[in-house]
Amino acid sequence: MTNSTGPKGPTRRVNARIPGLFKHSVEERARIVAESADVSDRARAFFARGGGIDVTSADAMSENVVATFGLPFSVATNFAINQRDYLVPMAVEEPSVVAAASNAARMVRESGGFFADADASIMTAQVQLDDVPDAASVVAKLEGARDALFDAGDRSIPKMVERGFGCRDLAVRVLSVEHGVVVVDLFVDVGDAMGANCVDTVAEAVAPVVQSLIGGRIGLRILSNLPLRRRVRAFCRVDASAIGGAEIADGIARASRFAELDMFRAVTHNKGFMNGVDAAAVALGQDWRSIEAGAHAFCALDGGYKPLSTWKRTEQGLEGRCDLPLAVGSVGGSTSANDAIRTAFELVRVESARELAGVLACVGLASNLAALRALASEGIQKGHMKLHHRKTEAADQRRREEVRSEPPRSEPPAAEEATAVASARTVTR
Ligand code: MEV
């Protein structure tokens, strides 16, 4: 996938402040966001046909394909990050995630916007060796052979190296002297790619060199989904007046402290954070399983389980921040043929993987803020149920239309129709 598919290139500024977007029809919304992000004709055609992918493209993506599976393609508005506007594509089935993120982004925007920064795209390739003789003594030997190991790794990814990326560092760990288990972690700069294929290639290329140096049996050669050197941090301030007053600001800070003190709450707090990250990651064709795995492992690094984000009370309101490993790519991957993902990139208009990581972290922070604000004030159920009812009413309506358009039966029993509507409702809930 590319990140510069818009007719005027990625540097064109987007207006993300679109008040009342939800009030328009689907077609009208598509027109408004297409204009705001100045997307290509291909993206406009994608909107015009209602999105989705055809079954032939689906067949090329996976195995044993029998149909396609749809999700809503939505756009979160109001994001201002590092003083730049972003429309954020989101694909999610849960009601209120998009509305909540847009709403929180508006509040943060009114208070100065989000700030994000991401590390270079350093992924970890792991090479496992077992039955290494005298394992306790291999660390110095392998560290002394850094250049040879990097050469072997870099030779396996020449295009990456041509673009200025490649092996940067290594760490050797002896996991068991008794079983001679040694792991070499190679840290590889993968540029704007997510980088899984690249580091798997490096791991496979380096493994025989490691073995020739220390002996033993080669085990796994694969990336780690805990890319600790590829972290992203986001920060925002939000004025108490923007979130409904001092009492709500206090409530959000107390909710954050609850998550810091209790892992059962921290998990739910993080789920709310990941609502936004995952929804944007899915729309943008990212490997959300790897993002999830890395985020939760990061929370458990110290043996407990901590929240990904915290909110502290300030004189004016709140300061929120998050820190997490995040491996995302703005180029590459197997998804460039997917119009949904191409369109999502045209909307978000990022110029690098690091910028994309920053956007996702801010969407997480916004989703988290929206959830805590609701929990600290009227409770989550009121908003949830309003949207949930809208969804079930629409499903009921569709079912009624289907029943009405069915060919007349000899004696259509009213009770049967009622049962059909009721069971449709049960299924959609
Ligand atoms: C629901 O999808 C997410 C929340 O449970 C998050 C939270 O409790 O912070 C509302």
Side-chain angles (χ1 to χ4, degrees), residues 304-328:
Y305 184 89
K306 61 177 189 153
L308 289 163
S309 59
T310 52
W311 296 89
K312 301 280 177 236
R313 193 72 168 87
T314 62
E315 222 168 278
Q316 283 78 29
L318 289 162
E319 274 180 9
R321 59 186 78 239
C322 66
D323 178 7
L324 66 156
L326 199 58
V328 289

Side-chain angles (χ1 to χ4, degrees), residues 12-308:
R12 186 195 164 275
R13 293 291 178 257
V14 169
N15 171 24
R17 179 81 191 106
I18 312 179
L21 183 63
F22 68 95
K23 292 183 189 150
H24 296 278
S25 67
V26 172
E27 294 74 18
E28 190 60 11
R29 271 181 227 140
R31 189 192 58 72
I32 294 168
V33 297
E35 260 167 36
S36 181
D38 197 12
V39 300
S40 66
D41 289 346
R42 185 170 173 170
R44 284 168 203 265
F46 168 78
F47 288 139
R49 64 173 185 271
I53 54 168
D54 59 275
V55 82
T56 312
S57 311
D59 195 31
M61 271 179 216
S62 183
E63 306 76 40
N64 296 352
V65 169
V66 291
T68 63
F69 180 90
L71 275 178
F73 183 121
S74 308
V75 179
T77 53
N78 301 327
F79 277 86
I81 303 170
N82 297 338
Q83 262 128 39
R84 185 176 167 175
D85 269 23
Y86 292 86
L87 288 172
V88 182
M90 291 177 121
V92 63
E93 86 300 340
E94 183 175 331
S96 87
V97 168
V98 178
S102 303
N103 202 22
R106 182 186 50 75
M107 294 167 193
V108 172
R109 183 188 184 89
E110 284 166 13
S111 315
F114 292 96
F115 297 91
D117 79 282
D119 297 335
S121 303
I122 305 290
M123 292 294 274
T124 312
Q126 293 202 291
V127 178
Q128 173 204 359
L129 273 292
D130 294 314
D131 302 330
V132 173
D134 196 13
S137 71
V138 301
V139 176
K141 197 183 235 175
L142 288 170
E143 280 175 353
R146 292 166 74 90
D147 291 348
L149 295 169
F150 292 172
D151 276 356
D154 283 347
R155 272 200 309 274
S156 71
I157 48 166
K159 289 209 177 103
M160 269 286 171
V161 174
E162 248 172 61
R163 292 201 292 270
F165 307 113
C167 295
R168 294 287 182 266
D169 198 4
L170 65 76
V172 182
R173 291 178 295 136
V174 180
L175 302 186
S176 162
V177 174
E178 186 194 349
H179 299 288
V181 183
V182 175
V183 62
V184 180
D185 294 324
L186 276 135
F187 301 102
V188 186
D189 190 341
V190 297
D192 286 321
M194 185 275 184
N197 283 331
C198 175
V199 288
D200 292 350
T201 303
V202 167
E204 291 185 8
V206 168
V209 185
V210 174
Q211 187 186 38
S212 71
L213 290 164
I214 63 169
R217 288 197 302 150
I218 293 175
L220 305 188
R221 296 148 296 160
I222 186 77
L223 88 166
S224 166
N225 282 124
L226 179 53
L228 270 189
R229 298 195 186 189
R230 196 176 185 178
R231 302 242 292 267
V232 59
R233 294 150 296 273
F235 168 82
C236 69
R237 286 198 184 91
V238 59
D239 296 337
S241 58
I243 46 171
E247 210 175 308
I248 295 181
D250 287 344
I252 292 171
R254 283 169 44 221
S256 175
R257 192 173 60 209
F258 180 14
E260 288 172 73
L261 293 171
D262 177 47
M263 72 171 287
F264 291 91
R265 174 57 207 158
V267 169
T268 321
H269 177 105
N270 288 345
K271 193 276 183 183
F273 183 96
M274 297 307 288
N275 270 346
V277 176
D278 285 344
V282 170
L284 288 153
Q286 304 297 316
D287 183 347
W288 52 269
R289 286 87 55 208
S290 98
I291 294 174
E292 281 281 340
H296 297 293
F298 181 67
C299 295
L301 267 188
D302 298 334
Y305 184 89
K306 61 177 189 153
L308 289 163

Side-chain angles (χ1 to χ4, degrees), residues 383-401:
H384 258 183
M385 293 320 286
K386 208 162 106 191
L387 288 161
H388 181 72
H389 284 138
R390 207 183 69 185
K391 200 170 77 169
T392 50
E393 269 160 29
D396 286 355
Q397 176 65 24
R398 268 199 310 278
R399 181 65 200 143
R400 269 186 231 106
E401 280 162 15

